[in-house]
Structure formats: C-alpha cells, structure tokens
C-alpha cells in the first residue's frame, strides 16, 4: 500500500462548473476525512466517513458540496456550481478507528476557480 | 468550541534548537500530534504523545506536554534547512477527531 492517493493533483475550473475529486485511502483504514486548506490556515474539517457511513458534516459545508464513499473504499467529493471562494487545497486523510494512529494525508487536490 | 493556538512564525539559526509551542483548551484530549507541511505538499505526521506522558523523544524531536497548563511543545535539535516548513499542532476531541492549530512557519537563517 503506497499511502493515501488523491486525484487530480490540480484542477482549474470556470466559475459555475461542477468538479469531482477522488481519494483512495489506505486499505486497512476504516475512517476517511475530507479537509479544506487555504493559504496560511490550518486544515478545515469538511466531513468524515466510518466505512461507508458519513458520520459528520461541517456546518461550513454548503449544499453545493457532497461526498460519498461507496462500499467503504474510495471516496469522492463533488462541488457543484463552483465559486471563486471554493479555491483551496482539498485534503483527504484516512485512519484506523480510535486514537494513537494519527491521520495519514494525501498530497491534496489544489482547486483554482477562475 | 475547542481551540488550538500556535504562534504564526519562528525564526532560528541553522544548527540551533527550534521550539514550537501550542496551547489547547480541550482537557479531554487524549492524543496530541505534530504534523509537518512543506510547500505544496500534504501533511506529514511527525510524532504524537499520549496524554498520560509528559515527554517523548524521537531522534532530533522532543515533545513536551504540560497537561495542567494544556501546553504542548515540539523541540527540533540541530535545526537544518530541510526543517523549513509549517508545523501544525493537533489534538483529539472526545470522538478522536482532530482539532487543528493554524500552524507555525519555521524559518531557518543561515
């Protein structure tokens, strides 16, 4: 297993378009997290899954954002009708349940909305 | 809500020790982490400490925890140019989710 993979690494899109990002977690990790990070800030929690169940969504996550994790494996994050304020790095992480393991992060997808 | 605070910048000379500090508010935090982020990259787990420990050493890294004051620090001995990065402190909440600081940018002077 090579770690957490995210695809694409970079995405440039026009305002109003829909975009979808993919995350492949470490196979034995049952938790998967999506974060957003803007320049000079720490990661901002968006949502997380335990297996295929989406257990929590941030209040900051508008209804234009949706995430899925079918079959508890890879996950997708879709942003509909993108806005310039959505420009950020989108980070995926996975972990085992419980503490002490920390999260393993992917390299992120940098989204630029023009 | 719960909060994690870090100073935004730290500047040290190459070869000196760097000490990055973090304070948090959640007294139930069980695990406390330090992550490193280099420019354009994801977050790399450096080390962590369990709340019943007060110190952990791992090669050039030393983590100190003062649970009474809710203060966590990361000491990097013999700081090198490759240590230039942003260092994030993160602590678990009651559901083992992480609460993050805003990061400390470590600047190395030659």
């Amino acid at each position: 297993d090579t770690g957490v993979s995210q695809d694409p690494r970079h995405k440039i899109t026009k305002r109003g378009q829909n975009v979808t990002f993919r995350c492949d977690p470490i196979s034995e990790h049952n938790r998967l997290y999506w974060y957003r990070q803007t320049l000079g800030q720490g990661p901002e929690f968006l949502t997380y899954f335990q297996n295929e169940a989406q257990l929590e969504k941030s209040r900051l996550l508008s209804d234009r954002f949706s995430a899925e994790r079918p079959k508890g494996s890879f996950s997708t994050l879709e942003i509909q009708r993108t806005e310039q304020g959505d420009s950020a790095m989108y980070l995926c992480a996975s972990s085992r349940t419980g503490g002490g393991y920390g999260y393993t992060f992917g390299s992120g997808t940098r989204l630029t909305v023009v | 809500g719960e909060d994690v605070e870090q100073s935004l910048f730290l500047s040290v000379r190459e070869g000196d020790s760097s000490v990055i500090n973090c304070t948090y508010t959640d007294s139930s935090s069980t695990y406390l982490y330090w992550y490193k982020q280099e420019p354009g990259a994801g977050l790399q787990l450096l080390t962590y400490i369990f709340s019943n420990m007060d110190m952990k050493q791992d090669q050039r890294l030393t983590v100190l925890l003062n649970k009474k004051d809710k203060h966590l620090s990361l000491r990097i001995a013999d700081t090198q140019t490759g240590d230039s990065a942003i260092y994030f402190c993160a602590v678990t909440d009651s559901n083992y989710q992480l609460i993050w600081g805003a990061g400390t940018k470590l600047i190395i002077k030659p």
Side-chain angles (χ1 to χ4, degrees), chain A residues 9 31 35 37 41-43 45 48 56 91 99-103 105-106, chain B residues 31 33 35 37 40 42-43 45 48 88 95-98 100-102:
Chain A
R9 289 294 307 275
R31 282 194 173 183
Y35 282 86
Q37 188 180 26
Q41 300 295 317
F45 171 75
Y48 92 96
E56 189 171 338
L91 296 166
Y101 302 109
Y103 297 179
F105 280 84
Chain B
Y31 294 94
Y33 300 88
Y35 280 82
Q37 187 174 36
L43 290 124
L45 176 63
Y48 74 93
F88 290 94
N95 196 32
Y96 294 114
Q97 289 199 62
L98 291 184
W100 295 82

PDB file of all heavy atoms in Angstrom, chain A residues 9 31 35 37 41-43 45 48 56 91 99-103 105-106, chain B residues 31 33 35 37 40 42-43 45 48 88 95-98 100-102:
ATOM      1  N   ARG A   9      -4.216  16.144  -8.982  1.00  0.00           N
ATOM      2  CA  ARG A   9      -3.385  16.971  -8.105  1.00  0.00           C
ATOM      3  C   ARG A   9      -3.771  18.442  -8.222  1.00  0.00           C
ATOM      4  O   ARG A   9      -3.725  19.179  -7.246  1.00  0.00           O
ATOM      5  CB  ARG A   9      -1.901  16.818  -8.461  1.00  0.00           C
ATOM      6  CG  ARG A   9      -1.300  15.489  -8.089  1.00  0.00           C
ATOM      7  CD  ARG A   9      -1.257  15.282  -6.569  1.00  0.00           C
ATOM      8  NE  ARG A   9      -0.625  16.366  -5.849  1.00  0.00           N
ATOM      9  CZ  ARG A   9       0.685  16.484  -5.639  1.00  0.00           C
ATOM     10  NH1 ARG A   9       1.498  15.573  -6.103  1.00  0.00           N
ATOM     11  NH2 ARG A   9       1.165  17.518  -4.946  1.00  0.00           N
ATOM     12  N   ARG A  31     -11.614   4.853   8.580  1.00  0.00           N
ATOM     13  CA  ARG A  31     -12.087   6.230   8.622  1.00  0.00           C
ATOM     14  C   ARG A  31     -11.454   7.021   7.482  1.00  0.00           C
ATOM     15  O   ARG A  31     -10.269   6.857   7.178  1.00  0.00           O
ATOM     16  CB  ARG A  31     -11.737   6.892   9.961  1.00  0.00           C
ATOM     17  CG  ARG A  31     -12.667   6.473  11.089  1.00  0.00           C
ATOM     18  CD  ARG A  31     -12.522   7.378  12.275  1.00  0.00           C
ATOM     19  NE  ARG A  31     -13.521   7.079  13.305  1.00  0.00           N
ATOM     20  CZ  ARG A  31     -13.664   7.754  14.429  1.00  0.00           C
ATOM     21  NH1 ARG A  31     -12.878   8.769  14.688  1.00  0.00           N
ATOM     22  NH2 ARG A  31     -14.593   7.423  15.297  1.00  0.00           N
ATOM     23  N   TYR A  35     -10.737  17.488   4.210  1.00  0.00           N
ATOM     24  CA  TYR A  35     -10.434  18.798   4.766  1.00  0.00           C
ATOM     25  C   TYR A  35     -10.224  19.776   3.622  1.00  0.00           C
ATOM     26  O   TYR A  35      -9.873  19.397   2.507  1.00  0.00           O
ATOM     27  CB  TYR A  35      -9.132  18.757   5.590  1.00  0.00           C
ATOM     28  CG  TYR A  35      -9.255  18.157   6.957  1.00  0.00           C
ATOM     29  CD1 TYR A  35      -9.152  16.785   7.143  1.00  0.00           C
ATOM     30  CD2 TYR A  35      -9.452  18.959   8.065  1.00  0.00           C
ATOM     31  CE1 TYR A  35      -9.249  16.232   8.411  1.00  0.00           C
ATOM     32  CE2 TYR A  35      -9.542  18.423   9.344  1.00  0.00           C
ATOM     33  CZ  TYR A  35      -9.441  17.056   9.498  1.00  0.00           C
ATOM     34  OH  TYR A  35      -9.530  16.516  10.753  1.00  0.00           O
ATOM     35  N   GLN A  37      -8.035  23.429   2.905  1.00  0.00           N
ATOM     36  CA  GLN A  37      -6.991  24.281   3.468  1.00  0.00           C
ATOM     37  C   GLN A  37      -6.727  25.448   2.539  1.00  0.00           C
ATOM     38  O   GLN A  37      -6.477  25.256   1.353  1.00  0.00           O
ATOM     39  CB  GLN A  37      -5.701  23.493   3.694  1.00  0.00           C
ATOM     40  CG  GLN A  37      -4.638  24.263   4.456  1.00  0.00           C
ATOM     41  CD  GLN A  37      -3.387  23.455   4.670  1.00  0.00           C
ATOM     42  OE1 GLN A  37      -3.072  22.545   3.921  1.00  0.00           O
ATOM     43  NE2 GLN A  37      -2.639  23.800   5.721  1.00  0.00           N
ATOM     44  N   GLN A  41      -3.567  28.938   6.580  1.00  0.00           N
ATOM     45  CA  GLN A  41      -4.518  28.408   7.557  1.00  0.00           C
ATOM     46  C   GLN A  41      -4.267  26.931   7.809  1.00  0.00           C
ATOM     47  O   GLN A  41      -3.679  26.232   6.979  1.00  0.00           O
ATOM     48  CB  GLN A  41      -5.955  28.586   7.051  1.00  0.00           C
ATOM     49  CG  GLN A  41      -6.347  30.026   6.803  1.00  0.00           C
ATOM     50  CD  GLN A  41      -6.374  30.833   8.075  1.00  0.00           C
ATOM     51  OE1 GLN A  41      -6.860  30.375   9.116  1.00  0.00           O
ATOM     52  NE2 GLN A  41      -5.846  32.039   8.030  1.00  0.00           N
ATOM     53  N   GLY A  42      -4.762  26.462   8.949  1.00  0.00           N
ATOM     54  CA  GLY A  42      -4.740  25.038   9.211  1.00  0.00           C
ATOM     55  C   GLY A  42      -5.846  24.340   8.442  1.00  0.00           C
ATOM     56  O   GLY A  42      -6.714  24.984   7.844  1.00  0.00           O
ATOM     57  N   PRO A  43      -5.829  23.015   8.450  1.00  0.00           N
ATOM     58  CA  PRO A  43      -6.890  22.271   7.758  1.00  0.00           C
ATOM     59  C   PRO A  43      -8.254  22.550   8.388  1.00  0.00           C
ATOM     60  O   PRO A  43      -8.377  22.601   9.608  1.00  0.00           O
ATOM     61  CB  PRO A  43      -6.484  20.816   7.971  1.00  0.00           C
ATOM     62  CG  PRO A  43      -5.040  20.858   8.317  1.00  0.00           C
ATOM     63  CD  PRO A  43      -4.824  22.141   9.042  1.00  0.00           C
ATOM     64  N   PHE A  45     -12.037  21.158   8.720  1.00  0.00           N
ATOM     65  CA  PHE A  45     -12.782  19.905   8.581  1.00  0.00           C
ATOM     66  C   PHE A  45     -14.015  20.096   7.706  1.00  0.00           C
ATOM     67  O   PHE A  45     -14.773  21.059   7.862  1.00  0.00           O
ATOM     68  CB  PHE A  45     -13.210  19.429   9.977  1.00  0.00           C
ATOM     69  CG  PHE A  45     -14.160  18.277   9.976  1.00  0.00           C
ATOM     70  CD1 PHE A  45     -13.718  16.993   9.690  1.00  0.00           C
ATOM     71  CD2 PHE A  45     -15.507  18.467  10.239  1.00  0.00           C
ATOM     72  CE1 PHE A  45     -14.601  15.926   9.693  1.00  0.00           C
ATOM     73  CE2 PHE A  45     -16.388  17.404  10.250  1.00  0.00           C
ATOM     74  CZ  PHE A  45     -15.934  16.134   9.974  1.00  0.00           C
ATOM     75  N   TYR A  48     -16.483  13.408   7.430  1.00  0.00           N
ATOM     76  CA  TYR A  48     -15.747  12.161   7.545  1.00  0.00           C
ATOM     77  C   TYR A  48     -16.680  10.963   7.475  1.00  0.00           C
ATOM     78  O   TYR A  48     -17.886  11.067   7.737  1.00  0.00           O
ATOM     79  CB  TYR A  48     -14.868  12.129   8.798  1.00  0.00           C
ATOM     80  CG  TYR A  48     -15.457  11.529  10.054  1.00  0.00           C
ATOM     81  CD1 TYR A  48     -15.215  10.197  10.383  1.00  0.00           C
ATOM     82  CD2 TYR A  48     -16.201  12.303  10.931  1.00  0.00           C
ATOM     83  CE1 TYR A  48     -15.715   9.654  11.557  1.00  0.00           C
ATOM     84  CE2 TYR A  48     -16.700  11.771  12.099  1.00  0.00           C
ATOM     85  CZ  TYR A  48     -16.454  10.449  12.417  1.00  0.00           C
ATOM     86  OH  TYR A  48     -16.947   9.922  13.583  1.00  0.00           O
ATOM     87  N   GLU A  56     -20.326  12.688   9.962  1.00  0.00           N
ATOM     88  CA  GLU A  56     -20.373  14.089  10.364  1.00  0.00           C
ATOM     89  C   GLU A  56     -20.062  14.977   9.174  1.00  0.00           C
ATOM     90  O   GLU A  56     -19.231  14.631   8.342  1.00  0.00           O
ATOM     91  CB  GLU A  56     -19.366  14.366  11.486  1.00  0.00           C
ATOM     92  CG  GLU A  56     -19.513  15.751  12.119  1.00  0.00           C
ATOM     93  CD  GLU A  56     -18.671  15.932  13.357  1.00  0.00           C
ATOM     94  OE1 GLU A  56     -18.300  14.925  13.991  1.00  0.00           O
ATOM     95  OE2 GLU A  56     -18.385  17.091  13.692  1.00  0.00           O
ATOM     96  N   LEU A  91      -7.845  18.304   0.994  1.00  0.00           N
ATOM     97  CA  LEU A  91      -7.022  17.226   1.529  1.00  0.00           C
ATOM     98  C   LEU A  91      -7.894  16.072   1.984  1.00  0.00           C
ATOM     99  O   LEU A  91      -8.938  16.271   2.600  1.00  0.00           O
ATOM    100  CB  LEU A  91      -6.208  17.726   2.731  1.00  0.00           C
ATOM    101  CG  LEU A  91      -5.173  18.809   2.454  1.00  0.00           C
ATOM    102  CD1 LEU A  91      -4.709  19.433   3.750  1.00  0.00           C
ATOM    103  CD2 LEU A  91      -3.990  18.219   1.713  1.00  0.00           C
ATOM    104  N   GLY A  99      -7.744   6.479  18.797  1.00  0.00           N
ATOM    105  CA  GLY A  99      -6.627   7.410  18.789  1.00  0.00           C
ATOM    106  C   GLY A  99      -5.284   6.713  18.684  1.00  0.00           C
ATOM    107  O   GLY A  99      -5.193   5.496  18.654  1.00  0.00           O
ATOM    108  N   GLY A 100      -4.259   7.519  18.648  1.00  0.00           N
ATOM    109  CA  GLY A 100      -2.910   6.976  18.687  1.00  0.00           C
ATOM    110  C   GLY A 100      -2.314   6.700  17.329  1.00  0.00           C
ATOM    111  O   GLY A 100      -1.111   6.541  17.209  1.00  0.00           O
ATOM    112  N   TYR A 101      -3.140   6.619  16.312  1.00  0.00           N
ATOM    113  CA  TYR A 101      -2.615   6.314  14.985  1.00  0.00           C
ATOM    114  C   TYR A 101      -2.387   7.564  14.156  1.00  0.00           C
ATOM    115  O   TYR A 101      -1.608   7.561  13.216  1.00  0.00           O
ATOM    116  CB  TYR A 101      -3.589   5.396  14.234  1.00  0.00           C
ATOM    117  CG  TYR A 101      -3.866   4.102  14.967  1.00  0.00           C
ATOM    118  CD1 TYR A 101      -5.100   3.871  15.552  1.00  0.00           C
ATOM    119  CD2 TYR A 101      -2.887   3.128  15.074  1.00  0.00           C
ATOM    120  CE1 TYR A 101      -5.362   2.694  16.230  1.00  0.00           C
ATOM    121  CE2 TYR A 101      -3.137   1.943  15.748  1.00  0.00           C
ATOM    122  CZ  TYR A 101      -4.372   1.732  16.325  1.00  0.00           C
ATOM    123  OH  TYR A 101      -4.617   0.564  17.004  1.00  0.00           O
ATOM    124  N   GLY A 102      -3.068   8.615  14.477  1.00  0.00           N
ATOM    125  CA  GLY A 102      -2.972   9.810  13.651  1.00  0.00           C
ATOM    126  C   GLY A 102      -3.643   9.597  12.315  1.00  0.00           C
ATOM    127  O   GLY A 102      -4.162   8.519  12.013  1.00  0.00           O
ATOM    128  N   TYR A 103      -3.653  10.608  11.532  1.00  0.00           N
ATOM    129  CA  TYR A 103      -4.223  10.559  10.202  1.00  0.00           C
ATOM    130  C   TYR A 103      -3.078  10.495   9.203  1.00  0.00           C
ATOM    131  O   TYR A 103      -2.052  11.161   9.377  1.00  0.00           O
ATOM    132  CB  TYR A 103      -5.015  11.822   9.880  1.00  0.00           C
ATOM    133  CG  TYR A 103      -6.229  12.113  10.727  1.00  0.00           C
ATOM    134  CD1 TYR A 103      -6.978  13.262  10.483  1.00  0.00           C
ATOM    135  CD2 TYR A 103      -6.652  11.285  11.751  1.00  0.00           C
ATOM    136  CE1 TYR A 103      -8.088  13.576  11.226  1.00  0.00           C
ATOM    137  CE2 TYR A 103      -7.761  11.594  12.509  1.00  0.00           C
ATOM    138  CZ  TYR A 103      -8.466  12.738  12.238  1.00  0.00           C
ATOM    139  OH  TYR A 103      -9.567  13.049  12.996  1.00  0.00           O
ATOM    140  N   PHE A 105      -2.313  11.626   5.481  1.00  0.00           N
ATOM    141  CA  PHE A 105      -2.863  12.531   4.487  1.00  0.00           C
ATOM    142  C   PHE A 105      -2.366  12.210   3.089  1.00  0.00           C
ATOM    143  O   PHE A 105      -1.228  11.746   2.908  1.00  0.00           O
ATOM    144  CB  PHE A 105      -2.460  13.978   4.800  1.00  0.00           C
ATOM    145  CG  PHE A 105      -3.296  14.619   5.862  1.00  0.00           C
ATOM    146  CD1 PHE A 105      -2.995  14.430   7.201  1.00  0.00           C
ATOM    147  CD2 PHE A 105      -4.388  15.398   5.523  1.00  0.00           C
ATOM    148  CE1 PHE A 105      -3.774  15.018   8.190  1.00  0.00           C
ATOM    149  CE2 PHE A 105      -5.169  15.987   6.509  1.00  0.00           C
ATOM    150  CZ  PHE A 105      -4.856  15.783   7.836  1.00  0.00           C
ATOM    151  N   GLY A 106      -3.205  12.490   2.115  1.00  0.00           N
ATOM    152  CA  GLY A 106      -2.776  12.505   0.731  1.00  0.00           C
ATOM    153  C   GLY A 106      -2.102  13.834   0.416  1.00  0.00           C
ATOM    154  O   GLY A 106      -2.016  14.725   1.265  1.00  0.00           O
TER     155      GLY A 106
ATOM    156  N   TYR B  31      -4.843  12.255  22.630  1.00  0.00           N
ATOM    157  CA  TYR B  31      -3.649  12.179  21.790  1.00  0.00           C
ATOM    158  C   TYR B  31      -3.360  13.565  21.220  1.00  0.00           C
ATOM    159  O   TYR B  31      -4.270  14.273  20.797  1.00  0.00           O
ATOM    160  CB  TYR B  31      -3.859  11.192  20.634  1.00  0.00           C
ATOM    161  CG  TYR B  31      -4.003   9.764  21.108  1.00  0.00           C
ATOM    162  CD1 TYR B  31      -5.262   9.221  21.341  1.00  0.00           C
ATOM    163  CD2 TYR B  31      -2.887   8.963  21.320  1.00  0.00           C
ATOM    164  CE1 TYR B  31      -5.401   7.925  21.796  1.00  0.00           C
ATOM    165  CE2 TYR B  31      -3.018   7.662  21.766  1.00  0.00           C
ATOM    166  CZ  TYR B  31      -4.279   7.149  22.004  1.00  0.00           C
ATOM    167  OH  TYR B  31      -4.404   5.873  22.448  1.00  0.00           O
ATOM    168  N   TYR B  33      -0.729  15.649  18.546  1.00  0.00           N
ATOM    169  CA  TYR B  33       0.111  15.363  17.382  1.00  0.00           C
ATOM    170  C   TYR B  33       0.861  16.599  16.907  1.00  0.00           C
ATOM    171  O   TYR B  33       0.411  17.735  17.086  1.00  0.00           O
ATOM    172  CB  TYR B  33      -0.769  14.888  16.213  1.00  0.00           C
ATOM    173  CG  TYR B  33      -1.563  13.644  16.482  1.00  0.00           C
ATOM    174  CD1 TYR B  33      -2.829  13.708  17.062  1.00  0.00           C
ATOM    175  CD2 TYR B  33      -1.066  12.400  16.145  1.00  0.00           C
ATOM    176  CE1 TYR B  33      -3.564  12.553  17.304  1.00  0.00           C
ATOM    177  CE2 TYR B  33      -1.802  11.244  16.371  1.00  0.00           C
ATOM    178  CZ  TYR B  33      -3.048  11.340  16.951  1.00  0.00           C
ATOM    179  OH  TYR B  33      -3.770  10.197  17.187  1.00  0.00           O
ATOM    180  N   TYR B  35       2.311  17.719  13.119  1.00  0.00           N
ATOM    181  CA  TYR B  35       2.400  17.444  11.686  1.00  0.00           C
ATOM    182  C   TYR B  35       3.304  18.497  11.045  1.00  0.00           C
ATOM    183  O   TYR B  35       3.374  19.631  11.506  1.00  0.00           O
ATOM    184  CB  TYR B  35       1.010  17.529  11.026  1.00  0.00           C
ATOM    185  CG  TYR B  35       0.158  16.307  11.204  1.00  0.00           C
ATOM    186  CD1 TYR B  35      -0.568  16.113  12.381  1.00  0.00           C
ATOM    187  CD2 TYR B  35       0.057  15.352  10.201  1.00  0.00           C
ATOM    188  CE1 TYR B  35      -1.367  14.990  12.543  1.00  0.00           C
ATOM    189  CE2 TYR B  35      -0.737  14.230  10.358  1.00  0.00           C
ATOM    190  CZ  TYR B  35      -1.438  14.057  11.530  1.00  0.00           C
ATOM    191  OH  TYR B  35      -2.229  12.942  11.692  1.00  0.00           O
ATOM    192  N   GLN B  37       4.224  20.330   7.258  1.00  0.00           N
ATOM    193  CA  GLN B  37       3.759  20.540   5.880  1.00  0.00           C
ATOM    194  C   GLN B  37       4.788  21.379   5.139  1.00  0.00           C
ATOM    195  O   GLN B  37       5.035  22.534   5.490  1.00  0.00           O
ATOM    196  CB  GLN B  37       2.395  21.225   5.848  1.00  0.00           C
ATOM    197  CG  GLN B  37       1.800  21.303   4.451  1.00  0.00           C
ATOM    198  CD  GLN B  37       0.386  21.852   4.442  1.00  0.00           C
ATOM    199  OE1 GLN B  37       0.059  22.741   5.221  1.00  0.00           O
ATOM    200  NE2 GLN B  37      -0.460  21.324   3.566  1.00  0.00           N
ATOM    201  N   GLY B  40       3.422  23.191  -0.879  1.00  0.00           N
ATOM    202  CA  GLY B  40       2.751  22.447  -1.935  1.00  0.00           C
ATOM    203  C   GLY B  40       2.498  20.987  -1.626  1.00  0.00           C
ATOM    204  O   GLY B  40       2.036  20.243  -2.494  1.00  0.00           O
ATOM    205  N   GLY B  42       1.187  17.666   1.153  1.00  0.00           N
ATOM    206  CA  GLY B  42       0.217  17.318   2.183  1.00  0.00           C
ATOM    207  C   GLY B  42       0.858  17.369   3.554  1.00  0.00           C
ATOM    208  O   GLY B  42       1.991  17.816   3.725  1.00  0.00           O
ATOM    209  N   LEU B  43       0.132  16.899   4.545  1.00  0.00           N
ATOM    210  CA  LEU B  43       0.601  16.942   5.927  1.00  0.00           C
ATOM    211  C   LEU B  43       1.236  15.610   6.308  1.00  0.00           C
ATOM    212  O   LEU B  43       0.658  14.549   6.087  1.00  0.00           O
ATOM    213  CB  LEU B  43      -0.567  17.244   6.857  1.00  0.00           C
ATOM    214  CG  LEU B  43      -1.083  18.658   6.723  1.00  0.00           C
ATOM    215  CD1 LEU B  43      -2.560  18.681   6.399  1.00  0.00           C
ATOM    216  CD2 LEU B  43      -0.812  19.444   7.980  1.00  0.00           C
ATOM    217  N   LEU B  45       2.716  13.244   9.309  1.00  0.00           N
ATOM    218  CA  LEU B  45       2.737  13.034  10.760  1.00  0.00           C
ATOM    219  C   LEU B  45       4.180  12.895  11.227  1.00  0.00           C
ATOM    220  O   LEU B  45       4.920  12.036  10.764  1.00  0.00           O
ATOM    221  CB  LEU B  45       1.944  11.775  11.121  1.00  0.00           C
ATOM    222  CG  LEU B  45       1.946  11.377  12.599  1.00  0.00           C
ATOM    223  CD1 LEU B  45       1.291  12.454  13.446  1.00  0.00           C
ATOM    224  CD2 LEU B  45       1.238  10.043  12.790  1.00  0.00           C
ATOM    225  N   TYR B  48       3.646  11.933  17.940  1.00  0.00           N
ATOM    226  CA  TYR B  48       2.477  12.197  18.780  1.00  0.00           C
ATOM    227  C   TYR B  48       2.827  11.807  20.211  1.00  0.00           C
ATOM    228  O   TYR B  48       3.814  11.114  20.468  1.00  0.00           O
ATOM    229  CB  TYR B  48       1.257  11.430  18.292  1.00  0.00           C
ATOM    230  CG  TYR B  48       1.303   9.946  18.587  1.00  0.00           C
ATOM    231  CD1 TYR B  48       0.728   9.431  19.750  1.00  0.00           C
ATOM    232  CD2 TYR B  48       1.910   9.058  17.709  1.00  0.00           C
ATOM    233  CE1 TYR B  48       0.770   8.075  20.031  1.00  0.00           C
ATOM    234  CE2 TYR B  48       1.956   7.716  17.985  1.00  0.00           C
ATOM    235  CZ  TYR B  48       1.386   7.216  19.144  1.00  0.00           C
ATOM    236  OH  TYR B  48       1.430   5.875  19.412  1.00  0.00           O
ATOM    237  N   PHE B  88       2.127  21.958  12.359  1.00  0.00           N
ATOM    238  CA  PHE B  88       0.781  22.040  12.915  1.00  0.00           C
ATOM    239  C   PHE B  88       0.667  21.179  14.161  1.00  0.00           C
ATOM    240  O   PHE B  88       1.088  20.018  14.176  1.00  0.00           O
ATOM    241  CB  PHE B  88      -0.252  21.541  11.900  1.00  0.00           C
ATOM    242  CG  PHE B  88      -0.452  22.454  10.727  1.00  0.00           C
ATOM    243  CD1 PHE B  88       0.261  22.262   9.559  1.00  0.00           C
ATOM    244  CD2 PHE B  88      -1.361  23.497  10.797  1.00  0.00           C
ATOM    245  CE1 PHE B  88       0.082  23.107   8.471  1.00  0.00           C
ATOM    246  CE2 PHE B  88      -1.553  24.346   9.717  1.00  0.00           C
ATOM    247  CZ  PHE B  88      -0.827  24.149   8.554  1.00  0.00           C
ATOM    248  N   ASN B  95     -14.263  12.329  20.346  1.00  0.00           N
ATOM    249  CA  ASN B  95     -14.558  11.344  19.309  1.00  0.00           C
ATOM    250  C   ASN B  95     -13.307  10.986  18.506  1.00  0.00           C
ATOM    251  O   ASN B  95     -13.404  10.404  17.427  1.00  0.00           O
ATOM    252  CB  ASN B  95     -15.645  11.894  18.373  1.00  0.00           C
ATOM    253  CG  ASN B  95     -16.285  10.824  17.533  1.00  0.00           C
ATOM    254  OD1 ASN B  95     -16.420   9.668  17.963  1.00  0.00           O
ATOM    255  ND2 ASN B  95     -16.674  11.183  16.328  1.00  0.00           N
ATOM    256  N   TYR B  96     -12.137  11.352  19.040  1.00  0.00           N
ATOM    257  CA  TYR B  96     -10.856  11.097  18.375  1.00  0.00           C
ATOM    258  C   TYR B  96     -10.721  11.828  17.048  1.00  0.00           C
ATOM    259  O   TYR B  96      -9.895  11.454  16.220  1.00  0.00           O
ATOM    260  CB  TYR B  96     -10.601   9.597  18.186  1.00  0.00           C
ATOM    261  CG  TYR B  96     -10.425   8.860  19.483  1.00  0.00           C
ATOM    262  CD1 TYR B  96     -11.344   7.905  19.889  1.00  0.00           C
ATOM    263  CD2 TYR B  96      -9.354   9.138  20.315  1.00  0.00           C
ATOM    264  CE1 TYR B  96     -11.195   7.247  21.088  1.00  0.00           C
ATOM    265  CE2 TYR B  96      -9.202   8.483  21.527  1.00  0.00           C
ATOM    266  CZ  TYR B  96     -10.121   7.537  21.898  1.00  0.00           C
ATOM    267  OH  TYR B  96      -9.975   6.886  23.091  1.00  0.00           O
ATOM    268  N   GLN B  97     -11.540  12.864  16.846  1.00  0.00           N
ATOM    269  CA  GLN B  97     -11.300  13.709  15.686  1.00  0.00           C
ATOM    270  C   GLN B  97     -10.298  14.771  16.074  1.00  0.00           C
ATOM    271  O   GLN B  97     -10.168  15.130  17.241  1.00  0.00           O
ATOM    272  CB  GLN B  97     -12.606  14.358  15.228  1.00  0.00           C
ATOM    273  CG  GLN B  97     -13.542  13.371  14.592  1.00  0.00           C
ATOM    274  CD  GLN B  97     -14.568  14.076  13.759  1.00  0.00           C
ATOM    275  OE1 GLN B  97     -14.223  14.756  12.794  1.00  0.00           O
ATOM    276  NE2 GLN B  97     -15.816  13.936  14.121  1.00  0.00           N
ATOM    277  N   LEU B  98      -9.600  15.278  15.077  1.00  0.00           N
ATOM    278  CA  LEU B  98      -8.516  16.221  15.356  1.00  0.00           C
ATOM    279  C   LEU B  98      -8.991  17.662  15.295  1.00  0.00           C
ATOM    280  O   LEU B  98      -9.740  18.049  14.405  1.00  0.00           O
ATOM    281  CB  LEU B  98      -7.377  16.018  14.362  1.00  0.00           C
ATOM    282  CG  LEU B  98      -6.594  14.713  14.489  1.00  0.00           C
ATOM    283  CD1 LEU B  98      -5.432  14.681  13.506  1.00  0.00           C
ATOM    284  CD2 LEU B  98      -6.092  14.503  15.897  1.00  0.00           C
ATOM    285  N   TRP B 100      -7.290  21.383  14.991  1.00  0.00           N
ATOM    286  CA  TRP B 100      -6.006  21.846  14.456  1.00  0.00           C
ATOM    287  C   TRP B 100      -5.682  23.271  14.865  1.00  0.00           C
ATOM    288  O   TRP B 100      -6.564  24.125  14.917  1.00  0.00           O
ATOM    289  CB  TRP B 100      -6.035  21.797  12.928  1.00  0.00           C
ATOM    290  CG  TRP B 100      -6.151  20.428  12.377  1.00  0.00           C
ATOM    291  CD1 TRP B 100      -7.293  19.698  12.221  1.00  0.00           C
ATOM    292  CD2 TRP B 100      -5.086  19.601  11.909  1.00  0.00           C
ATOM    293  NE1 TRP B 100      -6.998  18.473  11.684  1.00  0.00           N
ATOM    294  CE2 TRP B 100      -5.649  18.387  11.471  1.00  0.00           C
ATOM    295  CE3 TRP B 100      -3.705  19.769  11.806  1.00  0.00           C
ATOM    296  CZ2 TRP B 100      -4.887  17.353  10.955  1.00  0.00           C
ATOM    297  CZ3 TRP B 100      -2.942  18.737  11.282  1.00  0.00           C
ATOM    298  CH2 TRP B 100      -3.533  17.549  10.861  1.00  0.00           C
ATOM    299  N   GLY B 101      -4.393  23.521  15.084  1.00  0.00           N
ATOM    300  CA  GLY B 101      -3.909  24.880  15.159  1.00  0.00           C
ATOM    301  C   GLY B 101      -3.719  25.434  13.753  1.00  0.00           C
ATOM    302  O   GLY B 101      -3.840  24.705  12.767  1.00  0.00           O
ATOM    303  N   ALA B 102      -3.401  26.725  13.669  1.00  0.00           N
ATOM    304  CA  ALA B 102      -3.239  27.380  12.369  1.00  0.00           C
ATOM    305  C   ALA B 102      -1.849  27.172  11.778  1.00  0.00           C
ATOM    306  O   ALA B 102      -1.617  27.543  10.626  1.00  0.00           O
ATOM    307  CB  ALA B 102      -3.530  28.874  12.494  1.00  0.00           C
TER     308      ALA B 102
END
